[in-house]
Amino acid sequence: MNSLKASRILSIYLAVSGALTINAFTSVPTKRSFVKTSNLSMSSDSDVVRLGIFGGGTVGGGIVEILTQKAEHFTALTGGKKIEVGKICVRDAAKPRDFEIPEGCEIVTDYDAILNDDSIDIAVEVMGGTTDAKNVVYSAIKGGKHVVTANKALIAACLPELEKLLLDTNSGREENVEFKYEAAVCGGIPVIRSLQSDFVGDNIKSVAGIINGCTNFMLTQMDQNGESYADALAEASRLGYAEADPTLDVGGFDARSKLKILMRLAYGMDVEEDEITCRGITELTKIDFEYAKSLGGTIKIVGVAKKTAKGDVAAYVSPAYISTGDSLAPVNGATNAIEIISSNLVESTYIGQGAGRFPTANSCINDIISLAKGDKTELPFNPTSSLKFVNDYDSTFFIRLRYRDMIGITRQCGEICERYGVSIHSILQNPIAKRDDSAFVLITEKVPLSSVKKVCAEIEGLDWCKGEAFFMPILREDWE
């Protein structure tokens, strides 16, 4: 599995001009009306495709710039169609923009200026959020406009409802309203389209990836530069990788939203986000990286969905130990990577920029051009299946325990592990530099997560255990 020779690797390296700071609207215009369902559709005979963009910030500006720079190429690519930005809806029309407004483009502040404009063929939503953005996307669909969005949070929160809206809206229509969202998962990496088209005859065994750039940058700093969690977060904030409130990133919740979308595409199942086990990076310390290095590897936070031996699907977001020779180990900084293990293609790895102005805008552009060419996607989320989700998974685990020096610690650990059917592979203890930081690590054999939780809960109640136990999976079975 660790050999790249057996892999089909797609690497996308795009220059990033800045961190993803989508300009979200926080105020709702006084005027609000829902667009009535209509039969508006993009005519294949029209020589012009008009866009209405919601959001004139980092990504919206990137879309405009790419469309301007490659206008002639796009016209040739789409068989003579001219793609025009008709209107851009922003919160403050007077605010200076860091891109040139196209000739004939109108800057508006009222959503309905786009939603009620029948000359707009495609609504591009890059404003972010799940409130106003939801109203915009739903109204555009009902109004017969195709939608391109980068909004993972909206899709993850409303996927079944959104799917039903598309089916209801398209019922009886001569031309379907299309919904495209390549930029919603891992920015510039084209994994959505690949899952929609490249694995239709395949059997996906697992999807695993580094799907949050902020946390991957932080863990790279902790691993390679010996930084503390606090210092790594401060550096990520300074460079624009972390939001003002980094909870969604460092808590693993951003990665969980992306994983939910990937699970639907890979396995045809809708899972509530709260059902997916989620552990962020806030509990990781320098000690964990020291032990990881002694084992010959590193630590990455990953999102994983995989079929179990019984044919069910398990999933989690968590820090994980990864061996140095693993294909995901050298993915550093803010870079993202997704690995798909399947029966026919064996191992497919997608590596690239997961956020930023041009990587995210590039994926939006791909969707826009696809629509202008007349490409159709009957089921944007792929068909549903009868697969069952199980909120537990088997793995080898890394358990770090901080302790006060007492007699019988090893014996008690062994007895508790035996009680819950957890076999110990090895016990590691590095030389103690500071008695207050005394810690040792248990490496288990392959066991259920539920059993590890029971072991840790009981150990935490012992006199010698200081604070909560930290545990994480070891990503591969052949990790040694």
Side-chain angles (χ1 to χ4, degrees):
M1 181 182 296
N2 293 336
S3 174
L4 297 184
K5 293 181 180 179
S7 304
R8 180 171 65 94
I9 304 175
L10 171 62
S11 299
I12 303 124
Y13 297 98
L14 296 172
V16 183
S17 66
L20 177 60
T21 53
I22 295 175
N23 185 23
F25 299 164
T26 55
S27 59
V28 180
T30 303
K31 179 182 177 183
R32 171 67 63 201
S33 63
F34 290 96
V35 179
K36 296 180 181 179
T37 302
S38 75
N39 288 320
L40 176 67
S41 63
M42 191 163 57
S43 172
S44 59
D45 298 327
S46 174
D47 291 332
V48 177
V49 176
R50 282 174 55 82
L51 312 181
I53 301 177
F54 294 91
T58 301
V59 178
I63 292 171
V64 172
E65 288 186 89
I66 295 174
L67 286 173
T68 301
Q69 293 165 3
K70 304 199 69 174
E72 292 184 6
H73 175 69
F74 292 151
T75 297
L77 196 63
T78 57
K81 294 183 184 293
K82 182 180 179 182
I83 300 175
E84 293 182 350
V85 180
K87 295 178 181 178
I88 302 175
C89 187
V90 299
R91 182 173 55 187
D92 181 3
K95 179 181 177 181
R97 301 291 154 185
D98 62 356
F99 59 94
E100 185 175 347
I101 306 300
E103 183 179 353
C105 175
E106 184 181 355
I107 302 297
V108 301
T109 57
D110 185 352
Y111 302 152
D112 288 339
I114 293 176
L115 294 172
N116 289 335
D117 186 344
D118 288 349
S119 74
I120 299 295
D121 301 299
I122 303 173
V124 181
E125 186 276 302
V126 287
M127 57 193 278
T130 56
T131 50
D132 283 9
K134 179 179 179 181
N135 289 335
V136 162
V137 168
Y138 280 36
S139 295
I141 291 171
K142 292 175 182 178
K145 300 184 191 301
H146 301 307
V147 171
V148 171
T149 181
N151 198 328
K152 63 182 172 293
L154 174 62
I155 297 170
C158 305
L159 199 156
E161 182 182 342
L162 185 56
E163 184 175 39
K164 184 178 185 302
L165 174 62
L166 285 164
L167 290 172
D168 290 345
T169 300
N170 288 330
S171 178
R173 290 180 60 96
E174 291 184 6
E175 181 181 348
N176 283 353
V177 172
E178 296 284 328
F179 181 82
K180 300 210 175 265
Y181 57 103
E182 185 63 71
V185 176
C186 296
I189 301 177
V191 67
I192 299 297
R193 187 168 302 184
S194 186
L195 283 169
Q196 289 172 334
S197 60
D198 296 338
F199 292 87
V200 293
D202 211 338
N203 172 41
I204 296 177
K205 299 177 181 179
S206 70
V207 178
I210 298 166
I211 52 181
N212 181 273
C214 171
T215 50
N216 197 44
F217 172 82
M218 290 176 61
L219 296 187
T220 300
Q221 294 297 104
M222 294 175 72
D223 180 33
Q224 297 184 356
N225 301 331
E227 292 186 3
S228 66
Y229 169 84
D231 289 341
L233 177 57
E235 181 70 1
S237 299
R238 185 183 70 80
L239 294 174
Y241 295 133
E243 300 288 345
D245 179 0
T247 303
L248 291 178
D249 291 326
V250 300
F253 306 114
D254 173 84
R256 186 174 65 178
S257 294
K258 296 171 184 174
L259 183 62
K260 172 182 174 172
I261 297 170
L262 294 173
M263 288 173 65
R264 172 54 196 269
L265 288 165
Y267 298 115
M269 62 193 328
D270 289 315
V271 180
E272 292 295 329
E273 285 190 71
D274 290 343
E275 292 184 32
I276 301 173
T277 298
C278 185
R279 186 170 207 146
I281 66 170
T282 56
E283 298 169 80
L284 282 169
T285 67
K286 290 182 180 180
I287 293 173
D288 299 312
F289 283 94
E290 290 171 2
Y291 277 108
K293 286 182 178 179
S294 72
L295 289 169
T298 187
I299 300 171
K300 303 284 188 183
I301 182 169
V302 294
V304 177
K306 58 183 179 180
K307 284 187 177 178
T308 68
K310 296 181 179 179
D312 301 324
V313 175
Y316 63 87
V317 172
S318 174
Y321 170 80
I322 298 178
S323 302
T324 302
D326 193 282
S327 60
L328 295 180
V331 180
N332 293 318
T335 305
N336 283 190
I338 298 177
E339 174 199 77
I340 300 174
I341 305 297
S342 62
S343 298
N344 298 340
L345 297 179
V346 186
E347 182 177 332
S348 306
T349 303
Y350 303 76
I351 303 174
Q353 296 300 319
R357 185 186 192 95
F358 292 113
T360 306
N362 189 77
S363 287
C364 292
I365 290 291
N366 291 343
D367 284 342
I368 292 167
I369 299 305
S370 174
L371 290 171
K373 290 166 64 178
D375 294 345
K376 308 295 182 185
T377 306
E378 293 295 327
L379 297 173
F381 303 110
N382 286 354
T384 57
S385 74
S386 58
L387 289 173
K388 179 183 176 183
F389 176 73
V390 290
N391 194 10
D392 197 7
Y393 63 92
D394 292 349
S395 178
T396 303
F397 284 89
F398 171 113
I399 305 173
R400 183 249 299 152
L401 301 165
R402 297 178 64 240
Y403 68 95
R404 301 175 184 86
D405 195 13
M406 295 177 65
I407 295 174
I409 291 177
T410 303
R411 174 182 56 79
Q412 288 181 315
C413 286
E415 290 173 349
I416 293 171
C417 285
E418 182 181 10
R419 186 150 47 246
Y420 295 107
V422 174
S423 179
I424 298 175
H425 174 277
S426 56
I427 299 178
L428 312 175
Q429 185 173 26
N430 288 341
I432 299 172
K434 296 181 181 179
R435 188 163 292 276
D436 290 341
D437 291 333
S438 299
F440 67 96
V441 168
L442 300 178
I443 304 295
T444 74
E445 299 289 355
K446 187 176 180 180
V447 294
L449 169 66
S450 53
S451 298
V452 170
K453 287 182 176 179
K454 293 173 183 177
V455 165
C456 290
E458 186 161 337
I459 288 177
E460 287 169 1
L462 300 176
D463 290 341
W464 55 262
C465 185
K466 296 172 63 175
E468 294 184 358
F470 171 77
F471 60 87
M472 63 181 174
I474 291 176
L475 186 61
R476 314 290 188 189
E477 292 185 20
D478 57 346
W479 59 278
E480 294 182 278

